[in-house]
Amino acid sequence: MTATHDNSDLPMSAEATTGAEATTNSDLSDATARAQAHAELVATIEAQRAAYYTDDSPLVADAEYDELVHRLEDLEEKFPELVTDSSPTQTVGGNVDTSTFDPVEHIGRMYSLDNVFDFEELRGWHDRVRAATSATSKFLCELKIDGLAVNLLYRNGELVRAATRGDGRIGEDITANVRTISDIPDRLDTDYPPAEVEIRGEVFFPLEKFTELNAALVEEGKAPFANPRNSAAGSLRQKDPAVTAERPLHMLVHGIAVWTSADDSHPEPAHQSEVYEAFRTWGLPISEYFKVLATVDEIEDFITYYGEHRHDVTHEIDGIVIKIDDIAVQETLGYTSRAPRWATAFKYPPEEVTTKLLDIQVQVGRTGRVTPFAVMEPVTVAGSTVERATLHNGYEVTRKGVLIGDTVTLRKAGDVIPEVLGPVVALRDGSEYEFVMPTHCPSCGTELGEQKAGDKDKRCPNSRSCPAQLANRIFYLASRAAFDIEALGEEAALALTAPAEPEQPPLTSEAFLFDLTAEDLADVKIWRNKKVKGVETGERELVPYFYTRATAKKPSVPSANTTKLFDELDKAKDQDLWRVLVALSIRHVGPTAARTLAAHFRTLEAIRAALLEELSAVDGIGSTIAASIRDWFSVDWHVEIIEAWAAAGVRIKDEALEAGEQTLEGLTIVATGSLSTFTRDGIKEAILGAGGKAVSSVSKKTDYVVAGENAGSKLEKAESLGVKVLDEDTFRTLLETGSLD
């Protein structure tokens, strides 16, 4: 079901002013104004709830909804007379869709959770809990699954009902659909089940399957889901269980509401953690990511760790749930009208927001691939302001179902490049229109084509002379993964290859990069916004890029950054061979493959001379990379780059590298946790440089796991598989000597 709205009553969008603003813009000293602001804010939140819980079509991201609720809580705290039993601060969830599912009453009410957003709020909750009871119960901390809350009812070990949360008291009967989820047993694996038990959990949709589902929906002409949580909800709330069965849904259980023992010999466990152990023995799926902790400092450490590793787990999370472990203490603390007092959720900064898609433009990369990207209204997500995000290719634009003018859901996970997940279809007003992929290169005008039949990417074949490709190759070869030339950034690369003046750029090929002189750059100018006393005037002016401006007293001379550029170019000539390989922009040859090739062949000439079979036989290279290398060296102007660099003094062989230094040759090693003398990239370089294979996941093929502090699930998996675990000092011994004896 999809909600539709016209702009006259839009609950929350760029086109509408809502109760969200009313709480700050109104004169709240007047009782009538307060009531109006409260009513508008309540109406906005209720509309958001309906879209989220009932229609599975959210209009805003979770963080924006949380902000609305916080405003309402602040307003009601300041003016308690506004609070009513039906206020969103006093109620849970959404309405029940009786047109599709039968309503069912939960035996025990399903509550929501109160949230905290920083450690100060967390400590405030902790202190209130401690003050309310003399007990010193520990806390169970677990990941907050971003899924759909579901209630399972088992009688004498048999699953008799599954229901959505609904409004907390009445949910929707989705038993037939839940039975299609392989994680959920029809019968508990125990000879002594409770006579009756209500088990709470979350159904979720794996992120890697989310994009595949949306693509299929778009191909069928159906509206895509906004995010994985709503894909789970929409999949589970299908009329036909056969449709649900086709979706890769999973569930994790995390609590009980009602437990009626069959006899006194098997009572309800006394602690939440013991409940989880019972679930595990019964064959129910529980999270592997939980811990019982004693102090608030330990809780903060747990929150911090998973804040840094939230993308290493098997499902989407948006925070950490903290619960009193002692069930008797839980019962003592009780509940508010909507949430338990004995639990709270620490919410991480939002990684998903909604914003307006203003346009879709294209850019040409260093390999000629023409990539569409989204131009959006600037929005803050994951701690940074984002106004552009890649859309990968024309096929992906269609697959995501986005139109120019859409309100879109934007995701930025940590340091990952921002991604447009999909449109908020319910907010379309008919003004949106489709993006059309260009047929010719926007940089050089060459007709675009496929590198091979069936490619989803369109590429500009004019790889030698296309200004955009050359500029991007120059920028890439200066990156930390290649020559590491800090003074040669993106703007400098453009100035070298496509300046406003002169007409003939200083560089027409990367082959001549190391032949540049300061005099070659004297006349290079670019367009910049004109400033007067540091303030932009709105005008544009031509300014020298590599030289200072001439004045009546001082002539134009190379700038400090230009001097630094030539110093760094000189140092770059002595970089390791693998960095030179990366700098050549050979397709599929990144730092890992480049290190492997350099360690095996020692010289660029040996790599050039190697047969396809010889390249393919190198461990970690394979046929795809080998074919790409042979193709690259078959192009005359590519070979000219190597010859020109060699003539300029660039190092193209690793004479000092001896075979005896490959102390980790043939070993597969995983590094995990915080190490005191290695960065994450540093230990990877050490492993690869010594001939080993650095991988990110533990398997039976792993030889060693190097474990630092807070090693987490990878360490646990290594121990379960019997993989040898090394501390940092032992790893250094292995690295230096090739032996642990």
Side-chain angles (χ1 to χ4, degrees):
M1 183 189 301
T2 302
T4 56
H5 306 271
D6 61 38
N7 290 343
S8 62
D9 64 353
L10 198 60
M12 187 66 177
S13 75
E15 291 85 2
T17 299
T18 71
E21 287 86 359
T23 59
T24 54
N25 296 343
S26 299
D27 179 8
L28 298 181
S29 62
D30 179 74
T32 302
R34 289 199 295 271
Q36 181 181 353
H38 182 269
E40 291 176 354
L41 192 48
V42 167
T44 298
I45 293 171
E46 293 293 0
Q48 304 296 356
R49 278 187 170 184
Y52 185 86
Y53 291 109
T54 305
D55 300 333
D56 300 324
S57 182
L59 304 177
V60 295
D62 286 357
E64 296 166 81
Y65 174 80
D66 289 341
E67 175 63 22
L68 289 173
V69 174
H70 265 283
R71 292 184 188 182
L72 184 62
E73 289 172 341
D74 291 344
L75 184 62
E76 291 182 349
E77 183 178 357
K78 192 172 183 180
F79 305 105
E81 69 274 12
L82 296 174
V83 180
T84 66
D85 291 341
S86 61
S87 171
T89 62
Q90 310 299 309
T91 57
V92 173
N95 296 322
V96 176
D97 178 13
T98 56
S99 66
T100 306
F101 301 100
D102 294 332
V104 293
E105 185 173 357
H106 304 304
I107 298 174
R109 183 178 173 186
M110 291 186 74
Y111 288 85
S112 184
L113 279 173
D114 287 332
N115 299 321
V116 296
F117 294 90
D118 56 42
F119 287 155
E120 183 179 353
E121 289 185 2
L122 172 66
R123 287 180 177 267
W125 173 83
H126 171 272
D127 293 345
R128 289 193 299 275
V129 167
R130 287 297 192 212
T133 174
S134 58
T136 57
S137 173
K138 294 182 179 180
F139 298 87
L140 185 145
C141 297
E142 61 191 349
L143 309 189
K144 186 176 184 297
I145 305 164
D146 193 9
L148 177 72
V150 169
N151 185 43
L152 305 175
L153 175 60
Y154 285 86
R155 289 198 177 107
N156 298 314
E158 299 284 347
L159 178 64
V160 297
R161 190 174 71 203
T164 63
R165 178 166 58 186
D167 65 4
R169 297 185 185 279
I170 306 295
E172 300 154 323
D173 189 337
I174 54 170
T175 309
N177 292 13
V178 167
R179 288 189 190 277
T180 70
I181 302 175
S182 60
D183 298 332
I184 307 304
D186 288 328
R187 178 169 180 79
L188 301 178
D189 186 14
T190 174
D191 294 331
Y192 305 100
E196 188 171 67
V197 61
E198 270 194 335
I199 298 170
R200 304 288 159 76
E202 296 278 331
V203 172
F204 64 92
F205 203 104
L207 182 60
E208 67 272 14
K209 299 294 184 181
F210 168 68
T211 52
E212 295 176 14
L213 172 63
N214 267 359
L217 291 174
V218 171
E219 287 178 3
E220 294 170 10
K222 299 176 181 177
F225 289 112
N227 54 48
R229 184 267 171 201
N230 288 91
S231 68
S235 298
L236 197 55
R237 298 170 74 240
Q238 293 286 325
K239 270 188 173 182
D240 184 358
V243 177
T244 303
E246 294 174 353
R247 308 278 172 83
L249 296 176
H250 293 277
M251 184 174 182
L252 294 175
V253 296
H254 55 62
I256 53 172
V258 173
W259 180 305
T260 304
S261 297
D263 57 69
D264 293 339
S265 62
H266 294 89
E268 177 182 351
H271 294 86
Q272 185 85 22
S273 50
E274 294 170 359
V275 170
Y276 285 10
E277 178 59 23
F279 287 166
R280 186 186 65 77
T281 61
W282 292 350
L284 286 164
I286 63 170
S287 173
E288 60 180 295
Y289 308 106
F290 77 88
K291 279 189 178 181
V292 177
L293 304 171
T295 69
V296 70
D297 289 336
E298 291 175 333
I299 294 172
E300 289 181 1
D301 290 343
F302 186 89
I303 291 169
T304 299
Y305 177 80
Y306 280 106
E308 296 170 352
H309 295 82
R310 62 191 289 188
H311 308 295
D312 297 341
V313 299
T314 57
H315 51 76
E316 287 281 277
I317 69 171
D318 59 0
I320 299 294
V321 177
I322 305 102
K323 306 173 180 176
I324 290 285
D325 190 40
D326 191 315
I327 292 175
V329 177
Q330 291 181 7
E331 293 172 352
T332 298
L333 290 170
Y335 300 79
T336 67
S337 61
R338 62 179 297 276
R341 293 188 178 91
W342 45 266
T344 194
F346 184 100
K347 297 292 284 288
Y348 289 127
E351 294 190 316
E352 286 185 14
V353 295
T354 54
T355 188
K356 198 76 169 179
L357 177 60
L358 303 176
D359 196 8
I360 297 177
Q361 300 175 4
V362 296
Q363 59 189 7
V364 184
R366 63 189 172 90
T367 62
R369 186 171 71 175
V370 179
T371 305
F373 63 93
V375 179
M376 300 163 294
E377 288 184 350
V379 63
T380 301
V381 56
S384 60
T385 300
V386 175
E387 53 188 321
R388 292 191 175 193
T390 182
L391 287 166
H392 303 292
N393 51 51
Y395 169 82
E396 188 77 358
V397 177
T398 302
R399 189 169 78 103
K400 290 180 180 292
V402 293
L403 304 177
I404 297 171
D406 267 334
T407 295
V408 294
T409 303
L410 176 71
R411 175 179 175 82
K412 183 178 183 294
D415 294 329
V416 177
I417 297 170
E419 177 188 9
V420 174
L421 290 182
V424 183
V425 177
L427 293 182
R428 285 180 175 163
D429 60 11
S431 64
E432 301 82 11
Y433 57 96
E434 290 186 7
F435 162 74
V436 178
M437 191 73 182
T439 58
H440 290 74
C441 176
S443 178
C444 67
T446 303
E447 185 175 1
L448 303 179
E450 301 171 350
Q451 187 162 18
K452 62 180 184 292
D455 267 358
K456 293 174 182 175
D457 293 325
K458 297 296 183 183
R459 294 180 182 271
C460 170
N462 182 23
S463 54
R464 180 175 193 175
S465 305
C466 176
Q469 291 186 60
L470 176 57
N472 278 293
R473 290 199 302 270
I474 296 292
F475 177 51
Y476 179 74
L477 69 79
S479 68
R480 289 184 179 180
F483 282 127
D484 194 14
I485 305 170
E486 185 180 349
L488 184 45
E490 187 172 12
E491 190 178 50
L494 286 169
L496 287 172
T497 58
E501 288 184 3
E503 185 175 333
Q504 179 68 18
L507 274 185
T508 55
S509 168
E510 57 265 54
F512 312 122
L513 176 65
F514 294 96
D515 297 321
L516 286 173
T517 66
E519 290 73 20
D520 294 331
L521 310 181
D523 298 326
V524 172
K525 293 182 179 179
I526 64 168
W527 286 103
R528 280 226 173 111
N529 293 330
K530 186 176 182 179
K531 293 182 179 180
V532 176
K533 296 182 179 180
V535 178
E536 291 188 1
T537 64
E539 299 178 12
R540 302 273 285 170
E541 62 176 341
L542 268 176
V543 297
Y545 184 82
F546 294 102
Y547 272 57
T548 62
R549 294 195 198 201
T551 66
K553 295 182 178 180
K554 293 182 179 180
S556 179
V557 296
S559 67
N561 201 60
T562 300
T563 300
K564 181 180 179 181
L565 170 62
F566 282 102
D567 288 342
E568 291 182 343
L569 282 170
D570 193 54
K571 292 177 183 177
K573 295 176 183 179
D574 198 38
Q575 288 282 24
D576 292 336
L577 174 59
W578 71 265
R579 290 184 176 274
V580 178
L581 279 168
V582 174
L584 292 173
S585 282
I586 303 172
R587 196 178 182 198
H588 304 306
V589 179
T592 300
R595 287 188 182 96
T596 301
L597 289 164
H600 185 87
F601 291 100
R602 309 289 193 263
T603 73
L604 200 55
E605 189 55 41
I607 296 170
R608 178 185 175 185
L611 300 175
L612 183 65
E613 294 76 13
E614 293 177 291
L615 291 165
S616 300
V618 177
D619 187 32
I621 299 302
S623 58
T624 299
I625 297 176
S628 182
I629 293 168
R630 295 306 312 144
D631 288 345
W632 192 91
F633 278 103
S634 68
V635 178
D636 290 344
W637 68 269
H638 288 168
V639 176
E640 289 174 3
I641 296 171
I642 298 171
E643 292 173 347
W645 285 2
V650 175
R651 174 181 174 180
I652 58 172
K653 57 183 176 180
D654 281 340
E655 295 175 337
L657 190 61
E658 300 293 338
E661 295 178 357
Q662 300 297 282
T663 52
L664 305 182
E665 188 168 7
L667 297 178
T668 299
I669 299 175
V670 173
T672 182
S674 301
L675 301 169
S676 59
T677 58
F678 288 101
T679 63
R680 183 174 298 182
D681 289 339
I683 193 166
K684 183 177 180 181
E685 287 193 14
I687 294 167
L688 294 171
K693 182 185 292 185
V695 297
S696 59
S697 58
V698 181
S699 70
K700 291 181 179 179
K701 296 181 179 180
T702 306
D703 293 295
Y704 298 107
V705 169
V706 184
E709 293 184 9
N710 298 317
S713 60
K714 292 180 184 179
L715 174 59
E716 294 171 5
K717 187 169 184 180
E719 292 170 341
S720 69
L721 293 175
V723 175
K724 189 171 183 61
V725 178
L726 309 180
D727 60 22
E728 198 166 348
D729 290 338
T730 309
F731 170 70
R732 282 195 169 279
T733 300
L734 179 65
L735 181 65
E736 292 166 5
T737 66
S739 172
L740 295 178
D741 297 333

